[in-house]
Amino acid sequence: MTLNCEICNISIIGGQMRKVSATKKLKVIEIKRRFIVVEKRALKEIALVASAGVIRSEDLKVDVYDKEVVLLTGNNVSELGILFLEEGGDEKNIKKVFVEEKTFLEKKLEAGDIVFISRGAHFRAAIVREEDLRFDLLPSPNFLVIKVNPEQSAEVIVAYLNSFIGQQQLNHIAVGASLRNIPVGKLKDFNIPYLSQEKQSALNTLFYKNIAALESILALYTQQQRVFNAVISNLVEE
């Protein structure tokens, strides 16, 4: 049994009732006949949420458009919750443009920021890591940018937004028929589980272990596929 209350000043734990802050959003979940209260907060209470806005750019360096940057697109957001930035080779997926220096300084992405694809068939979030800053990054208009408060883990937010339950709730607040999107105001009001520092730390560790495990599986798959293709080619040529 799951009970939701938008404004609640009563919680139930182990069959006992107690008062809590009236401003907190709580979710009461029954697990093995025990009641556990999960506090939830609107995203705007734990982070700054803003639209990427329109960025004027040029493909070539001209006049004041002299700052070269990488303009993020949906192709740069992996399902793992991190950015995929490949500068060369068959998997090249970055788009370099020139913008005004002041535009870059105003809208540049920093480590710990979250980019959220707010338009299209799939809504996804990814965290900007230190290693991504080998490029000067700007978000395209299809993104919303989330800058979390110091006490809040960006990894927790990314993991929840990309999770099955998070995706269900995002689809519920999406608007539009032909082009689905989530307005910045709706994402600001989107409720996120508010975890203790201990639980946030544990989830952070699990977040990156999960990425490492899935990347290892993908590397093994890619290697095996290349070996298989090479064998087929040799057999055909014989």
Side-chain angles (χ1 to χ4, degrees), residues 211-221:
I211 290 173
L214 293 176
E215 285 182 334
S216 296
I217 293 172
L218 179 59
L220 181 61
Y221 169 84

Side-chain angles (χ1 to χ4, degrees), residues 12 14 16 19 23 48 65 77 84 112 123 133 152-153 156-157 160 173 187 200 203 207 210 216:
I12 307 173
Q16 300 296 317
K19 289 188 176 182
T23 61
L48 176 65
Y65 295 89
V77 177
F84 175 57
F123 305 115
L133 299 184
Q152 176 62 46
S153 163
V156 169
I157 294 177
Y160 187 75
I173 65 172
L187 189 63
Q200 287 191 52
L203 199 151
F207 180 83
N210 180 62
S216 296

Side-chain angles (χ1 to χ4, degrees), residues 33-50:
R33 304 185 69 178
R34 293 183 60 193
F35 292 95
I36 299 175
V37 178
V38 179
E39 182 183 347
K40 304 187 84 173
R41 294 188 182 181
L43 197 51
K44 64 185 178 184
E45 297 177 20
I46 55 177
L48 176 65
V49 185

Side-chain angles (χ1 to χ4, degrees), residues 91-153:
E91 296 183 337
K92 179 180 178 180
N93 72 339
I94 64 172
K95 178 182 180 182
K96 290 187 176 181
V97 297
F98 291 89
V99 300
E100 293 185 55
E101 181 76 24
K102 68 175 183 178
T103 298
F104 171 69
L105 294 176
E106 290 172 357
K107 298 189 175 186
K108 68 177 180 179
L109 294 171
E110 300 174 334
D113 288 348
I114 299 170
V115 289
F116 176 75
I117 301 176
S118 61
R119 300 178 187 175
H122 303 287
F123 305 115
R124 292 199 307 276
I127 187 171
V128 178
R129 299 172 295 172
E130 287 284 353
E131 63 193 72
D132 299 323
L133 299 184
R134 65 186 185 277
F135 301 109
D136 290 327
L137 303 175
L138 286 181
S140 68
N142 288 333
F143 287 100
L144 298 179
V145 179
I146 304 169
K147 294 180 178 287
V148 301
N149 294 345
E151 73 279 2
Q152 176 62 46
S153 163

